[in-house]
Amino acid sequence: MSRIRNIKELADLAGVSTGTVSRALAGSTLISQKTRERIQALAKEHGFRPNLLARNLRIQRTNTIGVLIPLGHETAQHLTDPFFITMLGLLADKLTERGYDLLLSRVIPTDSAWLDRIATSGRVDGLIVIGQSDQAATIDAVAKDYRPLVVWGGYDADQVHCSVGSDNRKGGDLAASHLIAQGCRKIAFFGDPKTREIEQRLQGVRDALARAGMGEPHIEPAHLTDDEFGPEIAGFLGQAADEPIGIVAASDVIALKTLRAMAVMGLSAPNDVRVMGYDGLTIGEHTVPQLSTICQDLVRGAEHLVDMLVRRIAGEDTQSVVMEPELVLRASA
Amino acid sequence: MSRIRNIKELADLAGVSTGTVSRALAGSTLISQKTRERIQALAKEHGFRPNLLARNLRIQRTNTIGVLIPLGHETAQHLTDPFFITMLGLLADKLTERGYDLLLSRVIPTDSAWLDRIATSGRVDGLIVIGQSDQAATIDAVAKDYRPLVVWGGYDADQVHCSVGSDNRKGGDLAASHLIAQGCRKIAFFGDPKTREIEQRLQGVRDALARAGMGEPHIEPAHLTDDEFGPEIAGFLGQAADEPIGIVAASDVIALKTLRAMAVMGLSAPNDVRVMGYDGLTIGEHTVPQLSTICQDLVRGAEHLVDMLVRRIAGEDTQSVVMEPELVLRASA
DNA sequence: TTGAAAGCGATACCAT
DNA sequence: ATGGTATCGCTTTCAA
């Protein structure tokens, strides 16, 4: 009793046609209950299950969503980044609830084809991109004629793709305003403005500074690799040690690295320097000191992404969502 | 210039056969350079890329690895669990390096078919299961005739599947021994021994207690849902408040919840109660107090998993790996 | 209720 | 160097 490899072998064994087997396994009531149960029993006995690849090819549908994390701006960044990982987990939960599997790709865009490649591969019913990175143009180009695509990230009035994210500019403003209200006279922004979200957060910081009649923020691109980070901070703190300093980090992860680098230098927040994060990850609740931050509602964000994607797959159109950021004051600023 | 949907349309357009197109697109030198470049240009111009589903079906290979997280023991547990997420990120990085995509499934086993279903689906070249949960038997059954399968989890001499994990019994012993050495006279274990790893850790705790001439540990199944957790701890602490207490948590996540529940009761580690975690996640470095824990080298574990899986796909056989756990003393115990 | 056969979109063998 | 064609394993229309 060798292993049954395909529907044809099972059909021969049962003395019926492949069509009958296919229908019986699908539970179609077109088939007499007797035949149906006999074939199902036979399949079970031989541990046979139809090949999904073939099925998907035939029905032109995979019940799989591609989740892409473009790392154009920061090749060294890994999937272990708590933000990605949190979002990924939330998406996985939501997608599973809806019966979708999840095809995960961490892509380092070398050409502009990375997105189209998977969109046209036939392997997914739709795509979720986490973060525009520096690939907004590529994403727009694909979104133009690939409908089932949603993106977590910053919103821009000109964009053609459908996005979900928080109002980054407002968030940046919130963060900087708080620092200024706390008496900081010198504001730094740690983050790489090449990606859209970060650029918008920086813009918000500028808004707040302008309103307060203060000049440009000091900008550190904040490479996420640890080794380059200490010197950057040290350099900045050294040249501005005479005024009360506030740092707006472009993400909680950057804020944590900042806190750690400061600790090495014998500095702590909020006494020596005030530090604001951005994201509202739970990890910030556990730090010493606990991280003050701008919270994005990732749970609701993930829900939106999945919900809108499903509707797009069904042919509906959907509008981008911009959520309210929230100032969360813990201890670091 | 409508969109080219398949190789046949491109072939017609180019006035050649599908075989030629297929070979040209694959860069085969069987095709004259002239034709090859002409067809590649044509494909590019029309944004055509071959359907991978069809390709995979034909060549019987997908370049995709399934990563499964069985949640048999704890349905409420989500992918957002820091341990899973950390492991998942590491695996994603390693698999990407090797050119594999990653098909993620969070499964709640309702029958014993969950694993076989994906193994026989034709959609993956191999499988990585993160944690045996309470499904060791099912995993063994599948591993019996499905070779490209590796599992993160506990090792048992009788198992047929290939696993990677730390020596959980030794780890549990390490944790409890440390608590005892610190003077704890009453030891509790927080975790659900239904899953193999946890059961082994508990066994290690028993070993240590036995050596010290102490009795059975107090066991709390430690449901991971927050609301049930406080009362469990309170109940335990209440009934044993007269002796120095030590808690071995079955994971860092459980330890963190314990710490938080204690804080609510006005208790703190290590003064009131000593708390040991298990896993060595980075999140434990950020807690107040920092978490003492048993560290498993997840980076090396992920490397082993991927490496062994690749070799199994290639037809080699591989042996289970048991890694040394390491006592990491921070502040909570 | 069931069977025959076309087709999903590719690859690869066998010719020429 | 290129074309014709069988094949991967399934679903579904059309006939009977």
Side-chain angles (χ1 to χ4, degrees):
Chain A
M1 183 171 65
S2 78
R3 189 131 189 128
I4 302 284
R5 313 212 140 281
N6 53 43
I7 236 174
K8 175 67 166 54
E9 292 184 10
L10 190 59
D12 290 348
L13 197 69
V16 297
S17 74
T18 60
T20 302
V21 170
S22 173
R23 282 182 277 244
L25 260 29
S28 161
T29 49
L30 279 175
I31 302 297
S32 76
Q33 183 176 343
K34 194 167 140 245
T35 326
R36 207 187 327 145
E37 287 174 353
R38 185 166 63 88
I39 292 179
Q40 285 173 353
L42 219 47
K44 186 160 203 174
E45 178 189 342
H46 291 266
F48 173 73
R49 239 176 303 277
N51 182 305
L52 284 184
L53 224 51
R55 165 167 221 275
N56 292 339
L57 175 60
R58 178 61 230 242
I59 68 175
Q60 301 285 70
R61 187 179 152 79
T62 61
N63 258 287
T64 300
I65 300 298
V67 175
L68 301 183
I69 305 186
L71 301 177
H73 51 301
E74 189 81 48
T75 354
Q77 192 176 23
H78 280 246
L79 266 189
T80 34
D81 182 304
F83 172 79
F84 286 144
I85 251 27
T86 302
M87 185 49 109
L88 179 60
L90 291 171
L91 290 174
D93 282 342
K94 301 282 171 241
L95 288 171
T96 306
E97 278 171 24
R98 305 249 192 172
Y100 283 103
D101 284 321
L102 194 154
L103 186 69
L104 183 63
S105 270
R106 161 181 173 269
V107 283
I108 298 177
T110 47
D111 51 10
S112 61
W114 61 273
L115 185 53
D116 196 49
R117 188 178 300 132
I118 172 125
T120 59
S121 72
R123 298 208 298 167
V124 297
D125 293 344
L127 288 176
I128 296 177
V129 176
I130 307 184
Q132 284 118 343
S133 180
D134 55 2
Q135 301 288 311
T138 302
I139 296 173
D140 263 355
V142 170
K144 211 162 171 182
D145 39 37
Y146 182 77
R147 308 298 305 156
L149 167 66
V150 294
V151 178
W152 170 271
Y155 174 74
D156 180 281
D158 294 333
Q159 79 187 27
V160 349
H161 65 267
C162 175
S163 70
V164 176
S166 68
D167 187 334
N168 294 293
R169 185 162 179 171
K170 184 162 181 182
D173 192 331
L174 240 35
S177 297
H178 172 70
L179 291 176
I180 294 169
Q182 296 303 306
C184 295
R185 297 308 302 155
K186 176 93 187 160
I187 302 290
F189 181 83
F190 283 12
D192 186 349
K194 275 211 287 294
T195 90
R196 177 181 291 181
E197 286 178 291
I198 309 290
E199 194 276 331
Q200 294 175 338
R201 289 169 199 175
L202 171 57
Q203 198 52 52
V205 170
R206 289 207 173 99
D207 292 345
L209 289 181
R211 264 205 323 278
M214 295 166 65
E216 268 288 290
H218 173 93
I219 300 174
E220 287 290 350
H223 301 295
L224 287 167
T225 46
D226 268 313
D227 33 355
E228 311 175 45
F229 208 69
E232 285 177 352
I233 297 179
F236 165 64
L237 294 179
Q239 77 183 62
D242 46 342
E243 301 176 293
I245 294 179
I247 294 175
V248 177
S251 73
D252 281 355
V253 174
I254 293 177
L256 294 192
K257 300 213 177 199
T258 303
L259 250 27
R260 217 171 311 168
M262 281 169 52
V264 171
M265 302 168 64
L267 299 176
S268 75
N271 297 334
D272 302 309
V273 179
R274 292 179 188 272
V275 178
M276 288 288 308
Y278 202 113
D279 279 338
L281 303 181
T282 47
I283 170 180
E285 297 173 17
H286 300 302
T287 54
V288 196
Q290 291 193 317
L291 188 64
S292 292
T293 189
I294 304 297
C295 180
Q296 318 189 78
D297 189 340
L298 296 189
V299 174
R300 211 150 57 80
E303 277 166 1
H304 272 131
L305 285 168
V306 171
D307 191 58
M308 287 163 62
L309 181 57
V310 168
R311 280 159 52 198
R312 282 180 158 257
I313 290 174
E316 276 183 62
D317 204 357
T318 58
Q319 298 304 312
S320 292
V321 171
V322 177
M323 302 186 300
E324 278 298 296
E326 191 191 345
L327 179 67
V328 174
L329 295 181
R330 296 199 279 240
S332 69
Chain B
M1 184 171 65
S2 81
R3 189 125 187 133
I4 302 284
R5 312 212 141 281
N6 56 41
I7 236 174
K8 175 70 165 53
E9 291 183 11
L10 190 58
D12 289 349
L13 198 68
V16 296
S17 74
T18 61
T20 302
V21 170
S22 174
R23 280 182 279 245
L25 259 29
S28 161
T29 50
L30 278 173
I31 302 298
S32 76
Q33 184 177 341
K34 193 167 140 247
T35 324
R36 207 185 329 140
E37 288 175 353
R38 185 166 62 89
I39 292 179
Q40 286 173 353
L42 219 46
K44 186 158 201 173
E45 177 189 343
H46 292 265
F48 172 74
R49 240 175 303 276
N51 182 304
L52 283 184
L53 224 51
R55 167 168 219 275
N56 292 340
L57 174 60
R58 178 60 233 241
I59 68 176
Q60 301 285 66
R61 193 183 147 76
T62 61
N63 258 290
T64 301
I65 299 299
V67 175
L68 301 183
I69 305 187
L71 301 176
H73 52 299
E74 188 79 48
T75 352
Q77 192 175 25
H78 282 245
L79 267 188
T80 35
D81 183 303
F83 172 80
F84 285 144
I85 250 31
T86 303
M87 185 49 108
L88 179 61
L90 291 171
L91 289 174
D93 282 342
K94 300 283 172 235
L95 288 171
T96 306
E97 277 171 25
R98 304 250 194 172
Y100 283 104
D101 285 321
L102 194 153
L103 186 68
L104 183 63
S105 269
R106 160 182 174 269
V107 283
I108 297 176
T110 47
D111 52 10
S112 61
W114 61 273
L115 184 53
D116 197 49
R117 187 176 301 134
I118 172 125
T120 60
S121 71
R123 300 207 299 166
V124 297
D125 293 343
L127 288 175
I128 297 176
V129 176
I130 307 185
Q132 285 118 345
S133 179
D134 55 3
Q135 301 289 310
T138 301
I139 296 173
D140 264 356
V142 170
K144 212 163 172 183
D145 39 37
Y146 181 77
R147 308 300 304 157
L149 167 66
V150 295
V151 178
W152 170 270
Y155 174 74
D156 181 281
D158 294 333
Q159 78 188 29
V160 351
H161 65 265
C162 175
S163 70
V164 176
S166 69
D167 187 334
N168 294 293
R169 184 161 180 171
K170 185 162 180 181
D173 192 330
L174 241 34
S177 296
H178 172 70
L179 292 176
I180 294 168
Q182 297 302 307
C184 296
R185 297 309 303 154
K186 176 92 185 160
I187 302 290
F189 181 83
F190 283 12
D192 186 348
K194 274 209 289 293
T195 90
R196 176 181 290 180
E197 286 177 291
I198 309 291
E199 193 277 332
Q200 294 175 338
R201 289 169 198 175
L202 171 57
Q203 198 51 54
V205 170
R206 289 206 172 96
D207 292 346
L209 289 180
R211 265 205 323 279
M214 295 166 63
E216 268 288 290
H218 172 93
I219 300 174
E220 288 291 350
H223 301 295
L224 287 168
T225 45
D226 267 314
D227 34 354
E228 310 175 44
F229 209 66
E232 285 178 351
I233 296 179
F236 165 65
L237 293 179
Q239 80 184 57
D242 47 340
E243 299 175 295
I245 295 178
I247 294 175
V248 177
S251 72
D252 281 354
V253 174
I254 294 178
L256 293 193
K257 301 213 176 199
T258 304
L259 252 24
R260 217 171 312 170
M262 282 169 52
V264 171
M265 302 169 62
L267 299 176
S268 75
N271 296 335
D272 302 309
V273 179
R274 291 179 189 271
V275 178
M276 287 288 307
Y278 201 114
D279 278 337
L281 302 181
T282 47
I283 173 177
E285 296 173 18
H286 300 302
T287 55
V288 196
Q290 291 192 317
L291 188 65
S292 292
T293 188
I294 304 296
C295 180
Q296 318 188 80
D297 189 341
L298 296 189
V299 173
R300 209 149 58 79
E303 276 164 2
H304 272 131
L305 285 168
V306 171
D307 191 57
M308 287 163 62
L309 181 58
V310 168
R311 279 157 54 197
R312 283 182 157 256
I313 290 173
E316 276 183 63
D317 204 358
T318 59
Q319 299 304 311
S320 291
V321 171
V322 177
M323 301 186 299
E324 279 297 297
E326 191 192 343
L327 180 67
V328 174
L329 295 181
R330 295 199 277 239
S332 68

